[in-house]
């Protein structure tokens, strides 16, 4: 393998290798795909059936695809890609006259030659490769999806939890037909801890669960343990019982359904992740998610056994990714074309550029008196850029819990960073009270005529469940009370205070909340952008409402001169998306702040979305165009399809911070964000950092400039 890596470096232009010495766990096809034709089919609704909307039509399309594949169980299944709602494509013709689908008939639209410069054709090509890979991998691996390929045997198995090796695969196709396979090696925890084995006294709203026969899906949150049992009819299910519903769905073996019916346990109502749709299940069909919070709370022996096992060294990550590609068949058939991959990590070519955005010791942050640093925690050696003019702090903390000595030191911490407060007054609360009681008490303890500049709130543990309310509920009720008293607040869970950097981060947040400036990036902002706006959606699951609530927030605004400001909106929203009107208001608020400071509208702004940009931007775009403001829209995703590794000397090491892999054709990048470099993963306390993915969704600013702008935003959101 080492010889292959050395050969790859020799074949790449000198500028690519000398520039960074870094590579991606992404592998290029040995040659471009030749043109080939696919047979296309339309699903035509029959018997008066019509899908409700585009999403429903897409679900119907994937179900039809699954049903068609089921017809070929005894023979070689066809390779089928979904082009769009109610549209399928396959390299080989299907015997449509012999296929019986529940709601549709198949119409043969004839052959179509794929054009790799066409977005839709490119998506079909990726879908066909995806389907072929799944079929090839099935048997040697447990394939739950192209991004969830698991080892057959678990690494560790205890307390109804299993730890598996996992390969996340991602495909891209260039306009020239070159295929890239990205491999992100990691681990996945699988749970068989179903709720019928569960101490129901420990059941709480918001508990993360998976439907056992939908393990590859997003999962759900527990809503309530209903009074009705699995054999009683439920209005929302069309007056069917849960058992009757699953008999009709034919997804559960008859033997299991009979056992569920005999046990006659109470039904569990859940809310699906990513929506506010509710569903009903027997306890036996719901398993705890393998989420770290669940593992820590309900499987301590498994949690202890896996500690350190999932922290990867760079070399191990490279070895497992490269070996995976080497073990693929030499030729992957696609019908009218064939595909094979070179098992050498990409380190720069016509599509990917490995670029060093900053030198590893670059000091892009500006503190007081022209002092500089490479990370916000450098403020411990420097001082904040500008302390608040008035600074009186209200310290709100629980009456019970660990680490009290840390918040006792808050006054000194603020003095050490050049922002000593006039006073730090303490308010104590009882974490065992209800969130409503804590809210009421805080309104009394912080009177309307207070003189506080900001509040520091120490919350109960994140998984706190001993009291009447969850830590999440207490957080939001305290936020609400302090907003009513017109006090900006900085909050921290008590269990995070064990880390050495937690209190300095809280101190920086307090400085910003009180109107000071912790630091700026005035010498590092790229391009011609005047204003950067970061938008996020945070989540909570309060116990006193019927559905999960999402809070929309414009978390960060940064002026082109590097001044960092914060704007938030705590208006509750249902669903993952920020509604168009609210998104417009958030953007307008940031622009108004800019005009108030600079006396004019910005000429160009960049809107960053933390996660997938599913929002409808029409209202925002119309507003910006009416103001003659140019804009770019960028998605920032915390997980990327590939790892960035330092291969400068032929041995895989932790990547340098500030290294980016830039995909010129797709306007996206994989970025090792700037900051202190991690050490090689040699203990349970270190590990290979996960890069982020940055993708331009609208606008015309080049991706390299946009990625450089992400580094300051990463600082401000940490």
């Amino acid at each position: 393998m080492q010889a292959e890596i050395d050969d790859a470096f020799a074949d790449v232009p000198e500028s690519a290798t000398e520039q960074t010495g870094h590579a991606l766990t992404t592998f290029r096809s040995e040659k471009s795909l030749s043109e080939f034709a696919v047979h296309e089919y339309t699903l035509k609704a029959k018997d008066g059936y019509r899908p409700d909307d585009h999403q429903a039509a897409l679900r119907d399309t994937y179900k039809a695809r699954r049903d068609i594949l089921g017809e070929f169980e005894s023979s070689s299944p066809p390779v089928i890609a979904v082009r769009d709602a109610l549209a399928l494509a396959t390299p080989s013709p299907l015997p449509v006259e012999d296929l019986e689908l529940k709601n549709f008939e198949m119409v043969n639209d004839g052959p179509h030659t794929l054009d790799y410069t066409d977005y839709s054709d490119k998506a079909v090509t990726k879908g066909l490769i995806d389907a072929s890979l799944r079929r090839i991998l099935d048997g040697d691996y447990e394939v739950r999806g192209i991004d969830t390929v698991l080892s057959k045997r678990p690494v560790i198995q205890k307390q109804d939890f299993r730890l598996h090796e996992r390969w996340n695969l991602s495909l891209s196709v260039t306009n020239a037909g070159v295929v890239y396979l990205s491999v992100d090696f990691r681990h996945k925890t699988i749970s068989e801890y179903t709720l019928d084995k569960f101490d129901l006294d420990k059941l709480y709203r918001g508990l993360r669960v998976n439907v056992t026969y939908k393990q590859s899906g997003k999962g759900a949150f527990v809503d309530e343990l209903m009074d009705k049992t699995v054999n009683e009819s439920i209005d929302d299910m069309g007056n069917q019982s849960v058992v009757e519903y699953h008999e009709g769905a034919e997804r559960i073996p008859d033997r299991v359904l009979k056992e569920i019916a005999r046990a006659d346990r109470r039904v569990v109502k859940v809310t699906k992740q990513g929506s506010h749709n509710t569903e009903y299940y027997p306890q036996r069909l719901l398993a705890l998610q393998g989420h770290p919070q669940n593992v820590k709370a309900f499987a301590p022996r498994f949690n202890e056994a896996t500690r350190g096992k999932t922290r990867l060294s760079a070399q191990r990550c490279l070895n497992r990714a490269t070996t995976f590609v080497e073990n693929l068949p030499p030729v992957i058939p696609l019908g009218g074309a064939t595909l094979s991959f070179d098992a050498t990590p990409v380190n720069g070519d016509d599509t990917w550029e490995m670029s060093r955005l900053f030198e590893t010791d670059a000091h892009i942050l500006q503190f007081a008196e022209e002092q500089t640093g490479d990370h916000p925690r450098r403020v411990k050696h420097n001082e904040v850029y500008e302390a608040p003019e008035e600074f009186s702090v209200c310290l709100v903390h629980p009456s019970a819990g660990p680490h009290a000595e840390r918040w006792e030191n808050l006054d000194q911490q603020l003095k050490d960073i050049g922002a000593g407060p006039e006073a730090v007054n303490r308010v104590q609360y009882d974490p065992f009270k209800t969130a409503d009681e804590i809210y009421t008490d805080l309104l009394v303890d912080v009177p309307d005529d207070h003189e506080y500049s900001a509040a520091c709130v120490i919350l109960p543990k994140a998984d706190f469940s001993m009291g009447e309310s969850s830590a999440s509920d207490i957080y939001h009720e305290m936020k609400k009370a302090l907003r009513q008293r017109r006090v900006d607040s900085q909050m921290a869970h008590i269990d995070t205070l064990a880390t050495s950097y937690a209190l300095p981060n809280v101190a920086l947040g307090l400085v910003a909340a009180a109107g000071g400036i912790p630091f700026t990036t005035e010498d590092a902002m790229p391009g011609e952008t005047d204003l950067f706006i970061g938008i996020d959606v945070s989540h909570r699951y309060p116990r006193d409402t019927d559905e999960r609530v999402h809070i929309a927030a414009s978390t960060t605004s940064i002026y082109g001169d590097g001044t960092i400001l914060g704007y938030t909106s705590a208006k509750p929203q249902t669903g993952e998306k920020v509604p168009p009107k609210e998104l417009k208001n958030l953007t307008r608020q940031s622009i108004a702040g800019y005009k108030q400071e600079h006396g004019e509208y910005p000429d160009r702004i960049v809107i960053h979305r933390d996660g997938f940009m599913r929002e409808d931007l029409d209202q925002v775009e119309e507003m910006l165009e009416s103001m003659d403001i140019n804009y770019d829209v960028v998605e920032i995703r915390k997980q990327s399809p590939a790892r960035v590794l330092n291969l400068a000397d032929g041995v895989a090491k932790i990547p340098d911070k500030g290294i980016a892999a830039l995909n010129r054709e797709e306007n996206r990048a994989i970025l090792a964000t700037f900051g202190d470099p991690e050490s090689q993963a040699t203990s349970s306390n270190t590990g290979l950092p996960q890069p982020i993915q940055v993708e331009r969704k609208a606008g015309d600013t080049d991706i390299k400039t946009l990625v450089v702008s992400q580094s300051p935003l990463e600082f401000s959101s940490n």
Side-chain angles (χ1 to χ4, degrees), residues 455-468:
C456 172
V457 179
I458 310 299
L459 295 162
K461 293 180 66 174
D463 59 353
F464 182 79
S465 58
M466 295 171 61
E468 293 292 330

Side-chain angles (χ1 to χ4, degrees), residues 107-167:
V107 178
N108 189 338
D109 296 327
H112 168 74
T113 300
L114 294 172
D115 176 2
Y116 303 126
T117 65
D118 180 82
Y119 178 83
S120 182
D121 280 3
K122 195 177 290 188
V124 168
T125 306
K126 288 197 295 184
L128 294 175
I129 300 171
D130 177 319
S132 293
L133 280 175
R134 290 195 202 197
R135 186 164 58 175
I136 288 167
L137 296 171
D138 190 37
D140 293 331
Y141 301 89
E142 182 181 338
V143 182
R144 298 192 170 193
I146 193 70
D147 60 346
T148 316
V149 178
L150 306 177
S151 60
K152 280 283 190 180
R153 297 184 62 179
V155 179
I156 294 171
Q157 186 168 3
K158 289 179 184 292
Q159 295 183 278
D160 286 320
F161 284 84
R162 309 193 312 265
L163 182 70
H164 288 260
E165 290 188 325
R166 171 179 178 171
W167 291 264

Side-chain angles (χ1 to χ4, degrees), residues 352-557:
W352 287 97
E353 173 191 347
M354 304 301 297
S355 180
R356 189 182 299 278
L357 304 181
F358 296 101
E359 293 302 318
T360 55
D361 59 351
H363 285 193
I364 67 171
L365 300 184
Q366 312 295 309
F367 295 96
E369 299 177 354
E370 299 183 352
Q371 296 173 316
T372 61
D374 62 355
H375 196 279
R377 66 176 64 109
R378 288 295 301 174
V379 74
K380 292 198 297 185
H381 305 283
N382 302 332
E383 292 184 349
V384 296
Y385 187 86
E386 184 179 299
E389 292 183 8
E390 297 180 357
F391 200 16
S392 178
V393 177
C394 176
L395 174 59
V396 184
H397 64 84
S399 57
H403 312 305
E405 72 284 354
R406 289 196 178 272
W407 70 69
E408 294 278 2
N409 193 37
L410 180 61
D411 192 346
Q412 186 60 48
Q413 187 79 55
L414 290 166
K415 290 178 182 177
D416 290 345
I417 63 175
E422 288 88 22
V424 176
N425 297 321
R426 298 172 53 161
V427 170
Q428 189 169 280
Y429 70 92
D430 182 352
F432 295 94
K433 287 186 174 182
T434 67
D436 289 332
E437 290 174 315
I438 292 172
Y439 161 83
T440 304
D441 291 345
L442 191 55
L443 283 179
V444 173
D445 291 331
V446 181
D448 196 45
D449 59 351
H450 69 83
E451 296 182 354
Y452 296 127
S453 311
C456 172
V457 179
I458 310 299
L459 295 162
K461 293 180 66 174
D463 59 353
F464 182 79
S465 58
M466 295 171 61
E468 293 292 330
S469 297
S470 69
S472 174
D473 291 352
I474 293 173
Y475 165 88
H476 287 282
E477 291 305 315
M478 282 192 170
K479 268 291 190 192
K480 187 193 303 181
L482 290 169
R483 276 199 311 272
Q484 286 184 234
R485 292 296 189 244
R486 302 175 304 284
V487 185
D488 288 329
S489 57
Q490 179 71 16
M491 300 199 172
H493 286 287
I494 197 169
D495 45 331
T496 66
L497 294 182
T499 58
S500 60
Y501 57 81
L503 203 57
N505 283 352
V506 171
L508 288 174
L510 280 173
V511 169
I517 302 175
F519 50 83
T520 78
T521 56
E522 57 194 57
D523 294 333
M525 301 310 291
E528 303 298 324
T529 300
D530 299 310
L531 177 64
F532 300 85
I533 302 171
I535 295 175
D536 190 11
V537 177
S538 60
H539 314 291
R540 72 180 176 116
Y541 203 112
R543 297 184 179 187
D544 57 349
T545 66
D546 292 332
E547 59 188 22
R548 191 167 183 243
V549 174
H550 306 267
I551 305 300
S554 171
T555 57
T556 306
S557 293

